[in-house]
Amino acid sequence: MQTIQINNPEVESFIASRYGNDTQSLVNDFIKFVKLSLDDGYPAITKEEAKKRVAKSLQDIKSDEAVLLSQKEYDKEIDEFMKTL
């Protein structure tokens, strides 16, 4: 077994507040995160395509065709998504 060291007080605080001593849930969520990060199911795109998509997203936000979620809304969406994994 190996240990992952986190040298970021904000991340450490988040983990402590969310998981406390519940290391099993932390490990389970970390495994889900790694699996999702390794293969999100979408085909790879070029940097140029990524830049185009980001530019379009920014334009959509500026023109009010898209809206950003609040942190509370985002957290709720992520929680719902994590339940599906």
Side-chain angles (χ1 to χ4, degrees):
M1 177 181 239
Q2 295 187 0
T3 300
I4 297 174
Q5 183 175 354
I6 299 171
N7 293 321
N8 183 307
E10 186 177 342
V11 173
E12 289 176 6
S13 177
F14 170 78
I15 291 171
S17 68
R18 178 140 183 158
Y19 296 99
N21 292 326
D22 185 6
T23 56
Q24 189 59 50
S25 292
L26 174 60
V27 169
N28 290 341
D29 286 350
F30 182 73
I31 290 169
K32 289 176 191 175
F33 168 77
V34 170
K35 286 180 178 179
L36 184 62
S37 297
L38 292 175
D39 181 13
D40 61 5
Y42 292 99
I45 60 172
T46 64
K47 284 185 180 181
E48 196 57 42
E49 178 63 22
K51 288 178 184 179
K52 287 179 187 176
R53 291 182 188 187
V54 169
K56 182 179 180 331
S57 295
L58 291 173
Q59 186 58 41
D60 288 349
I61 292 168
K62 288 177 183 177
S63 66
D64 290 329
E65 292 180 36
V67 294
L68 297 175
L69 297 176
S70 69
Q71 186 64 49
K72 186 176 181 180
E73 292 169 320
Y74 173 81
D75 290 341
K76 181 180 175 187
E77 292 287 329
I78 290 298
D79 287 343
E80 293 287 325
F81 174 73
M82 291 302 287
K83 290 176 186 176
T84 67
L85 298 179

